[in-house]
Amino acid sequence: MVDPNVKHDLGGRTLRVMTRQWIPFVKGHRNGNGTWYTGLCIDLLDLLAESLNFTYTLSESADGIWGSKLANGTWAGMTGMLHRKEADLAVSGFSVSAERAEVSDYTVGFYYDDVILMTTFPDAIPAGWTFYVKPFHWHVYLLLGCCLLLMTVVLSIMDIHFVRANARCPSTREKKTGLTFIASWAWKAFEALFAGLIGRAVVHEAVSRAGRVLLWAWMLMCLVTVAAYTGKLTSNSVVTKQPVPFNSLSELVQRTDYRWGIANGTLEESTFAVRDLNISLCTSNLSDYQLYYERAERTDEEPVAELLAGNFVQVTSAAFYRVQKREHCRMTVVKERLYQDTFAIHLQKDSPYTALFNHMLARATEQGLLDYLKSEWFPQESSCQDNGTRVMPVSVELVKTAFIMAALGVLMAAVVLMLERLLKRRITL
């Protein structure tokens, strides 16, 4: 036990400290004069050094690995250096585990974090000609095509009826029944309706009052439809994100279009490499992951480039995600959290410094110093305004009002047509 009333002093001795870059816990800076480090763990180490009166040298493990047990039973990375007594401490966003505790000690946790699946929003609208058909659902295009054909038939009938009804003699009326005559008026009707659909000026004006009413209703429907299409096309060119197509680990491993990886030598690698799981690790999907472990793209480099390339998932900490999210708004996380991770200072097995460090960490927690360091080094919420806006095609439901207008136009035109016939009969009588 450490007596809190006694001033603890390590006599200015120099401790060998290992670290590894894991922003925001540790960040390396390199220039011609060498490498120096900043971050939450470095500030915490400076605080401990000042309180316990020691100095330290800081370096990284030669193999760049956190700490993992090799097939021959030896240890690699920072854990291996502690086990071989080549270092006194290891400080970074360094996870604790029962396996690592066999050959090293660690302090109480100074940070607790979730292990997550980090990826990027997929592109919502693919490049190429399909970009211009994506604004509408295919149901809308089908309905527009049917309406265009129906309106062409109705407008043609109205105009042909008007022309034939107003012919001055029976012989002239008979000449206006040929196939060429009907096709000519049908084409004129189609031209007028299609021009309205693509937002162009109407090239043909209906000759009957009923036809003009029908054409006005069609133009009103086209106004709404073209506005919806143009607005959606514009938004699609700006908004390029949609939700990730899976929500859990079990869903991820069933997809063949996504690659995924684990940083080499991490706790996640050793956790997911376990073949015989006799205990629960807070996720029922872990066994599914084992079946696909051989497909994992393991790398000791931060996977930002892989993530930005698309269709890649990294098993990592939520802290790493929050840092990258500030730089890359495309970053996102899968809904499921795998388990909680604990970061602590690692020491040699049976180290005489463990109790001292635990005592100082407890005091730093009580005095709010750890919370202060976290607020200084951990980024605030991302400034990204859009965290997964889904680009949805315009459905029939959204533009049904426009089609209702067209249907009402047909009814109004039919009423006008009947009135015209009634008036002509009265004039004839």
Side-chain angles (χ1 to χ4, degrees):
M1 294 292 292
V2 176
D3 187 349
N5 298 314
V6 178
K7 178 176 176 60
H8 304 287
D9 193 327
L10 296 184
R13 71 185 63 178
T14 299
L15 301 183
R16 299 163 298 172
V17 180
M18 305 305 299
T19 191
R20 190 183 189 282
Q21 176 165 294
W22 193 248
I23 303 170
F25 299 99
V26 176
K27 182 177 182 179
H29 306 270
R30 294 173 175 81
N31 60 18
N33 298 322
T35 303
W36 74 99
Y37 301 89
T38 59
L40 183 151
C41 288
I42 304 304
D43 285 354
L44 179 59
L45 184 61
D46 289 339
L47 177 64
L48 294 172
E50 182 180 358
S51 301
L52 296 174
N53 187 25
F54 69 87
T55 59
Y56 61 86
T57 60
L58 201 58
S59 59
E60 298 188 40
S61 62
D63 55 15
I65 296 176
W66 292 92
S68 60
K69 192 174 184 178
L70 303 179
N72 59 10
T74 61
W75 282 82
M78 295 189 290
T79 301
M81 297 188 71
L82 291 173
H83 181 47
R84 296 188 298 270
K85 301 188 183 303
E86 297 172 0
D88 299 302
L89 308 174
V91 177
S92 186
F94 201 1
S95 305
V96 303
S97 70
E99 189 176 37
R100 288 171 177 169
E102 295 175 0
V103 295
S104 63
D105 287 347
Y106 46 81
T107 64
V108 295
F110 60 82
Y111 190 80
Y112 301 89
D113 205 4
D114 290 328
V115 175
I116 54 147
L117 300 174
M118 179 179 175
T119 184
T120 52
F121 293 112
D123 292 332
I125 303 297
W129 65 270
T130 55
F131 175 82
Y132 297 97
V133 299
K134 286 291 183 180
F136 281 166
H137 195 280
W138 70 268
H139 291 162
V140 176
Y141 291 112
L142 179 61
L143 189 56
L144 283 172
C146 293
C147 285
L148 178 61
L149 293 176
L150 178 62
M151 289 291 192
T152 299
V153 172
V154 174
L155 183 58
S156 301
I157 292 174
M158 288 180 175
D159 281 356
I160 290 173
H161 176 271
F162 179 83
V163 172
R164 293 187 70 250
N166 289 274
R168 294 188 176 182
C169 61
S171 60
T172 304
R173 189 181 301 118
E174 291 175 0
K175 292 179 181 179
K176 298 181 182 297
T177 59
L179 184 60
T180 303
F181 174 77
I182 295 174
S184 174
W185 280 99
W187 177 251
K188 291 179 181 179
F190 178 82
E191 278 187 314
L193 295 168
F194 188 75
L197 191 59
I198 62 175
R200 300 297 299 272
V202 176
V203 295
H204 166 71
E205 183 67 34
V207 295
S208 64
R209 293 186 182 89
R212 286 195 288 270
V213 171
L214 180 65
L215 197 56
W216 295 338
W218 173 261
M219 295 301 294
L220 186 59
M221 188 205 80
C222 290
L223 180 65
V224 176
T225 305
V226 171
Y229 176 86
T230 305
K232 197 61 183 177
L233 188 67
T234 303
S235 67
N236 286 356
S237 65
V238 177
V239 181
T240 58
K241 290 180 287 190
Q242 62 181 353
V244 179
F246 47 86
N247 293 311
S248 66
L249 192 62
S250 59
E251 292 179 10
L252 165 63
V253 298
Q254 295 176 22
R255 299 188 65 94
T256 58
D257 54 337
Y258 271 79
R259 297 176 301 110
W260 45 273
I262 307 170
N264 193 18
T266 60
L267 175 62
E268 289 77 23
E269 182 190 27
S270 59
T271 299
F272 292 119
V274 174
R275 301 299 181 182
D276 183 17
L277 297 175
N278 297 318
I279 58 174
S280 172
L281 292 177
C282 304
T283 169
S284 60
N285 300 324
L286 191 58
S287 58
D288 293 333
Y289 207 106
Q290 309 317 311
L291 301 177
Y292 291 83
Y293 183 74
E294 287 77 13
R295 289 171 46 199
E297 303 271 342
R298 295 178 292 173
T299 172
D300 59 356
E301 297 294 330
E302 295 177 356
V304 177
E306 289 274 12
L307 288 163
L308 292 177
N311 286 35
F312 184 79
V313 178
Q314 179 74 11
V315 181
T316 185
S317 67
F320 179 71
Y321 161 72
R322 287 194 293 273
V323 171
Q324 296 302 324
K325 181 67 175 179
R326 291 190 62 84
E327 300 293 330
H328 309 285
C329 286
R330 286 186 60 203
M331 298 292 184
T332 187
V333 295
V334 176
K335 183 178 180 180
E336 182 184 36
R337 297 317 192 245
L338 302 183
Y339 56 87
Q340 191 176 69
D341 208 352
T342 301
F343 297 156
I345 298 174
H346 292 235
L347 307 97
Q348 294 179 7
K349 189 67 175 178
D350 301 321
S351 172
Y353 308 129
T354 305
L356 292 175
F357 278 79
N358 278 333
H359 172 65
M360 296 308 301
L361 285 173
R363 289 184 58 184
T365 302
E366 293 170 358
Q367 297 171 5
L369 293 176
L370 277 179
D371 289 335
Y372 171 76
L373 292 179
K374 292 173 186 176
S375 66
E376 286 292 305
W377 285 103
F378 276 84
Q380 303 300 317
E381 291 298 322
S382 171
S383 59
C384 300
Q385 296 180 355
D386 179 14
N387 290 323
T389 300
R390 189 175 184 183
V391 179
M392 293 289 290
V394 176
S395 64
V396 173
E397 186 69 21
L398 294 177
V399 293
K400 65 180 181 181
T401 303
F403 291 99
I404 292 174
M405 292 179 188
L408 291 176
V410 173
L411 293 176
M412 292 174 62
V415 171
V416 172
L417 179 61
M418 288 187 292
L419 290 175
E420 284 182 336
R421 296 193 65 177
L422 288 173
L423 289 174
K424 186 171 182 60
R425 281 185 180 180
R426 294 188 64 180
I427 293 174
T428 303
L429 294 175

